[in-house]
Amino acid sequence: LAVNARDAMPDGGTLTIRSGEAELTEADCLDHSDFDVRPGRYVVIAVSDTGIGMDPATKARMFEPFFTTKGPGKGTGLGLATVYGIVKQSGGYIAVTSEPGKGTTFRIYLPAVEETAPSTSAAASGGSEAMPNGSGTILLVEDETPVRALARRVLEQAGYAVLEAADGIEGVRVAEEFDGEIDLLLTDVVMPNLGGRGLVERLRATRPRMAVLFISGYPDGEMQRGGLTNGGAGYLEKPFSPRMLRETVRLTLKEVRNPVA
């Protein structure tokens, strides 16, 4: 949402993120037929910009997968679809207000929980469990700069050498210019110029032993139905935590290096 807000303000503006609480009544819930909204307490996250805004036709399609108003190579149309899926799976809903020239506000309502959170010390000890350092070279191909930067930082901290590219064409070039062995290709599925599937096909000819791990905002079942995870390729669904990324990479490499007889 923040990235979209930035792109909607090409001449500058103000991005505001607020949080709060709300109590929804039965009448409130009737207005959101796309979501299974129930009365009760919600936590609200509001993301607002002072940008170009959206007309009614754009608002009607904004959550559709692959729908984008950005130019070629600047958007996949999966950002808001991913936001929609995460919020719906969490039992919440999204309210959007926007007018051309007057900016946009997304309000995300997530069900409040009554359980007491674990103590800080318990949470810290549970989240800092030591994991073995990795080894090898990973080619990271991801067109979303923030995602790519986070993944590179996590992988390098875990002990891997990381090559990176912003799309499939650049990924092919980086692989061709690298003389050493690439142990793992970590690639997004949908990218401009050349997507993950095409990238794998291009690199398999010269690097048949290279492991493959796809990352995408689509559920694993969709990836399997599309045949992307056939042939031993792994899959990690966005959004993912640093720990999930480290663990999935480790297991993917382990399966390739130590195949079950």
Side-chain angles (χ1 to χ4, degrees), residues 39-259:
R41 290 179 54 245
Y42 286 78
V43 173
V44 186
I45 304 171
V47 180
S48 304
D49 65 65
T50 57
I52 58 177
M54 294 183 286
D55 58 30
T58 301
K59 283 179 63 179
R61 300 187 61 191
M62 61 185 171
F63 293 124
E64 290 182 15
F66 303 109
F67 173 75
T68 179
T69 58
K70 300 177 183 178
K74 295 185 178 180
T76 61
L78 293 175
L80 288 181
T82 300
V83 171
Y84 179 95
I86 294 170
V87 173
K88 190 165 186 177
Q89 290 172 7
S90 301
Y93 81 96
I94 309 173
V96 185
T97 56
S98 183
E99 291 185 41
K102 295 185 179 180
T104 301
T105 296
F106 286 85
R107 292 182 178 85
I108 297 176
Y109 291 75
L110 298 174
V113 294
E114 305 297 338
E115 293 84 354
T116 302
S119 66
T120 302
S121 58
S125 62
S128 61
E129 181 182 345
M131 294 183 65
N133 274 345
S135 63
T137 299
I138 296 175
L139 174 55
L140 168 64
V141 186
E142 165 62 62
D143 63 311
E144 294 288 345
T145 301
V147 177
R148 189 171 70 252
L150 170 64
R152 175 165 193 156
R153 184 167 65 251
V154 170
L155 293 171
E156 288 181 336
Q157 290 174 348
Y160 300 101
V162 180
L163 310 170
E164 68 173 279
D167 59 40
I169 295 296
E170 186 179 354
V172 171
R173 179 183 59 78
V174 170
E176 290 176 344
E177 294 177 354
F178 184 69
D179 292 332
E181 183 174 351
I182 296 177
D183 299 277
L184 173 69
L185 170 62
L186 176 62
T187 179
D188 194 3
V189 176
V190 180
M191 296 181 291
N193 301 321
L194 180 64
R197 185 198 297 267
L199 175 60
V200 172
E201 292 175 353
R202 292 275 293 272
L203 297 185
R204 281 293 194 200
T206 55
R207 298 180 181 273
R209 297 177 56 197
M210 179 183 66
V212 176
L213 176 59
F214 288 109
I215 52 176
S216 175
Y218 284 108
D220 192 11
E222 294 293 330
M223 295 296 100
Q224 290 176 348
R225 283 192 288 273
L228 287 174
T229 54
N230 293 342
Y235 175 75
L236 178 61
E237 183 177 348
K238 296 179 184 177
F240 49 79
S241 68
R243 184 176 184 83
M244 289 168 59
L245 175 60
R246 291 195 304 268
E247 181 66 11
T248 306
V249 166
R250 185 184 68 82
L251 292 175
T252 302
L253 285 171
K254 182 180 178 181
E255 291 178 2
V256 172
R257 291 167 173 171
N258 304 290

